């Protein structure tokens, strides 16, 4: 499980490829200078984070935020594990995306205010004389990219599975399992898009990254993947009002020429054509949403919305999934000083 595993697998800091491998030396386990005692302490922290995040609601946000900080987040390994857990929750519970984005912004502000610095695990692993520093935003950006790539891979892997036409009981079971994997991957990918939009609204990701996401989702194919169309509309619903200003008018006009084409493209489902029409209408009305949401929802509203969302997403298997985000070097340089 963990970072290198399949989409939606349990989070584990021990399997993070950016961290040194676990080795046994004279019956003592160490990882990049971390002995078993320290590893056990780290596991205890990550279990505490999981317990806290499981209880998080808008009503107890401030209190639980302090509990997270009280666990002690002084090293990159702890930070990477915490961000992985926040992502896992945000992607599997997209109705809470705004709340988890608020937590990221609050943690980042606190680390900056307290001047907490983290040493880059890659620098520590290579034994550099002066290890590089990393930031909350840099770790967050890495995780965004990783989730994009994993999501695309999971959808494509499920698509490639060959199902025989003559279906016996075992084969029918395989079909059902494949459909379930596709649904999980699709939900998680859409959750990722929603979370990225919320992170941008909290100034945790740059406008430039949003434009990269939009361009990747629009793609160059005449008939795009429907997951990408849905994700695009979700992202613009969340971020369009902030992105659509005079300096970006040329970009936005180009996006909407393409969206206008998609709204008339009979090669995609009517549901996705209507999504494109809705987002065009939102822009024409100055990005006013039909139903204004005031901050994070209360817990009972979240459960109602989650049930409705699951029902909508269960309607028919997805077709295709060409969503990969490659964040170029310039973006990484842009975040070096965040």
């Amino acid at each position: 499980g963990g970072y290198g595993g399949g989409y939606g697998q349990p989070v584990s800091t021990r399997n993070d490829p950016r961290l040194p491998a676990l080795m046994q030396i004279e019956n003592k386990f160490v990882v990049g200078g971390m002995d078993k005692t320290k590893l056990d302490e780290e596991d205890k922290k990550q279990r505490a984070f999981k317990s806290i995040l499981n209880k998080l609601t808008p009503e107890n946000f401030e209190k639980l935020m302090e509990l997270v900080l009280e666990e002690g987040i002084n090293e990159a390994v702890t930070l990477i594990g915490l961000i992985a857990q926040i992502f896992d929750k945000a992607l599997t519970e997209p109705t809470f995306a705004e709340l988890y984005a608020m937590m990221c912004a609050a943690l980042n502000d606190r680390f900056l205010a307290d001047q907490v610095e983290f040493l880059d695990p890659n620098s520590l692993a290579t034994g550099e004389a002066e290890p590089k520093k990393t930031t909350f935003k840099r770790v967050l950006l890495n995780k965004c990219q990783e989730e994009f790539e994993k999501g695309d891979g999971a959808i494509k892997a499920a698509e490639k599975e060959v199902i025989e036409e003559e279906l016996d009981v075992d084969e029918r079971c395989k079909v059902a399992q494949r459909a379930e994997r596709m649904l999980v991957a699709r939900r998680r990918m859409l959750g990722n898009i929603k979370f990225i939009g919320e992170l941008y609204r909290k100034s945790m990701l740059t406008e430039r990254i949003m434009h990269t996401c939009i361009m990747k989702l629009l793609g160059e194919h005449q008939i795009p993947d429907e997951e990408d169309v849905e994700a695009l509309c979700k992202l613009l619903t969340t971020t369009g009002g902030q992105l659509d200003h005079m300096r970006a008018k040329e970009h936005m006009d180009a996006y909407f020429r393409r969206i206008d084409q998609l709204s008339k493209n009979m090669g995609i489902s009517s549901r996705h054509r209507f999504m494109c029409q809705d987002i065009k209408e939102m822009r024409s009305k100055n990005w006013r949403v039909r139903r204004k949401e005031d901050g994070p929802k209360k817990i009972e509203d979240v459960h109602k919305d989650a049930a409705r969302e699951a029902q909508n997403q269960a309607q028919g298997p997805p077709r295709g999934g060409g969503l990969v985000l490659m964040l170029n070097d310039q973006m990484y340089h842009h975040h070096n000083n965040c």
Side-chain angles (χ1 to χ4, degrees), residues 85-337:
Q85 294 213 56
I86 293 172
F87 255 84
D88 203 50
K89 296 291 286 181
L91 272 51
T92 52
E93 302 170 6
T95 41
F96 275 110
E98 184 181 358
L99 195 60
Y100 293 120
M102 278 173 59
M103 175 161 272
C104 287
L107 285 168
N108 183 62
D109 288 348
R110 185 69 71 89
F111 293 141
L112 289 173
D114 294 347
Q115 297 183 315
V116 179
E117 293 184 331
F118 300 97
L119 297 180
D120 187 336
N122 289 326
S123 293
L124 291 171
T126 52
E128 292 178 21
E130 287 197 27
K132 294 189 183 75
K133 288 171 184 165
T134 192
T135 63
F136 187 98
K137 283 190 176 181
R138 171 53 97 48
V139 175
L140 194 68
L141 185 62
N142 286 343
K143 189 64 183 165
C144 288
Q145 181 178 9
E146 179 189 309
E147 285 295 340
F148 260 95
E149 291 167 353
K150 271 168 58 179
D152 189 63
I155 291 171
K156 285 182 175 169
E159 282 179 337
K160 282 178 184 172
E161 292 177 31
V162 178
I163 306 293
E164 299 294 332
E165 288 185 25
E166 295 294 323
L167 298 180
D168 58 20
V169 175
D170 287 344
E171 293 298 333
R172 282 201 296 274
C173 187
K174 282 182 187 173
V175 170
Q177 288 170 350
R178 174 180 180 269
E180 177 64 20
R181 279 194 294 276
M182 290 282 281
L183 186 60
V184 168
R186 178 173 178 256
R187 278 183 185 163
R188 196 171 166 96
M189 184 270 281
L190 291 173
N192 191 34
I193 285 292
K194 183 168 183 177
F195 190 42
I196 281 174
E198 293 293 352
L199 288 170
Y200 166 68
R201 288 176 66 189
K202 301 285 185 291
S203 302
M204 295 302 295
L205 296 174
T206 63
E207 189 168 311
R208 188 172 188 172
I209 290 170
M210 292 305 104
H211 285 290
T212 302
C213 289
I214 291 167
M215 286 186 276
K216 290 290 180 185
L217 290 167
L218 278 170
E220 298 173 357
H221 304 297
Q222 190 61 34
I223 301 178
D225 297 313
E226 289 181 348
E227 285 78 17
D228 292 3
V229 174
E230 186 166 350
L232 171 73
C233 292
K234 279 187 181 290
L235 187 61
L236 284 171
T237 298
T238 307
T239 64
Q242 282 175 263
L243 291 171
D244 201 1
H245 50 76
M246 282 310 296
R247 291 192 313 280
K249 187 176 186 305
E250 194 176 328
H251 287 295
M252 295 298 287
D253 287 349
Y255 302 153
F256 274 87
R257 283 193 293 273
R258 174 82 169 122
I259 289 168
D260 183 57
Q261 292 168 358
L262 292 173
S263 72
K264 301 166 187 171
N265 190 328
M266 301 307 287
I268 61 175
S269 72
S270 58
R271 177 171 171 259
H272 290 85
R273 291 199 303 275
F274 287 135
M275 282 181 188
C276 292
Q277 288 168 13
D278 284 347
I279 206 72
K280 281 168 53 188
E281 185 182 334
M282 267 187 79
R283 192 191 190 203
S284 72
K285 291 182 176 176
N286 226 10
W287 296 102
R288 280 196 300 274
V289 291
R290 289 173 182 160
R291 180 172 59 87
K292 176 106 176 114
E293 290 177 1
D294 299 316
K297 302 179 188 70
K298 299 300 180 192
I299 193 76
E300 58 270 20
D301 297 327
V302 166
H303 288 310
K304 285 178 193 169
D305 286 355
R308 198 160 44 238
E309 184 86 3
Q311 189 177 1
N312 288 340
Q313 290 183 356
Q315 293 173 354
R319 182 192 60 72
L323 179 61
V324 177
L325 174 65
M326 300 304 290
L327 299 175
N328 62 32
D329 288 339
Q330 288 176 312
M331 288 182 188
Y332 281 98
H333 294 323
H334 182 88
H335 276 258
N336 273 344
N337 299 318

Side-chain angles (χ1 to χ4, degrees), residues 38-54:
K38 204 162 181 183
L39 268 174
D40 288 342
E41 284 175 15
E42 185 57 39
D43 271 357
K44 187 179 173 186
K45 282 184 184 181
Q46 295 301 331
R47 283 196 301 272
F49 293 151
K50 184 172 186 176
S51 174
I52 293 166
L53 290 173
N54 282 339

